[in-house]
Amino acid sequence: MKLVYAIVNNDDSHSVMEALTENGFMVTKLASTGGFLKAGNTTFLICSEDEKVCKIINIIKDKSHKRKQLMPVVSTYEMGAIASMPIEVTVGGATIFVTDIERFEKV
Ligand code: 2BA
């Protein structure tokens, strides 16, 4: 058994969730926050048989899109004034981790 963690953009979370459940996967959706942008994103937990992990990843890949986001944090000191210059960051499609599950029980 494997546990798939998938961090996706909030804007994609509905379609990712729908596609996974339509394909018969049990999904838990958590509200999460990225450490870099300090903005909300969505983390899915999906536990499944090893042989279904590729299908899960393909579904998530299909429904998650790359986006550019502005991050208004860089300050430069120019001509005696502090200027805040937003930088553009590419986020997503999805960040996925797959781990082994030692024991799975529903009690
Ligand atoms: P954030 O940490 O808010 O990162 C948002 C995006 O900012 C990242 O997109 C990446 O493009 C950029 N970024 C992150 N750290 C950076 C840095 N030190 N310098 C320059 N750019 C940086 P993604 O890679 O698509 O990641 C989206 C979200 O997935 C992340 O949101 C975080 O919540 C999660 N994530 C990504 N890699 C992770 C990891 N190794 N461990 C845990 N969570 C991760």
Side-chain angles (χ1 to χ4, degrees):
M1 294 288 279
K2 300 281 186 198
L3 177 60
V4 179
Y5 296 80
I7 303 164
V8 306
N9 193 288
N10 282 345
D11 294 341
D12 295 325
S13 67
H14 183 73
S15 50
V16 169
M17 172 78 116
E18 275 209 336
L20 288 169
T21 51
E22 273 167 16
N23 280 276
F25 294 106
M26 283 194 71
V27 182
T28 296
K29 179 181 160 187
L30 306 173
S32 46
T33 303
F36 188 67
L37 292 178
K38 299 188 175 48
N41 52 30
T42 301
T43 300
F44 289 101
L45 307 183
I46 309 117
C47 179
S48 87
E49 292 87 2
D50 293 22
E51 58 275 14
K52 293 187 180 163
V53 167
C54 283
K55 184 168 183 189
I56 292 170
I57 291 173
N58 283 333
I59 291 170
I60 295 167
K61 196 172 164 186
D62 186 49
K63 300 292 177 187
S64 305
H65 305 289
K66 278 194 173 31
R67 293 181 172 77
K68 302 232 184 254
Q69 275 180 242
L70 287 177
M71 189 185 175
V73 288
V74 180
S75 294
T76 54
Y77 193 74
E78 282 175 26
M79 299 170 68
I82 300 281
S84 186
M85 281 199 347
I87 56 165
E88 198 176 64
V89 174
T90 302
V91 185
T95 300
I96 298 172
F97 311 106
V98 181
T99 62
D100 287 323
I101 291 185
E102 211 168 281
R103 182 167 162 172
F104 175 88
E105 284 188 36
K106 288 190 182 184
V107 292

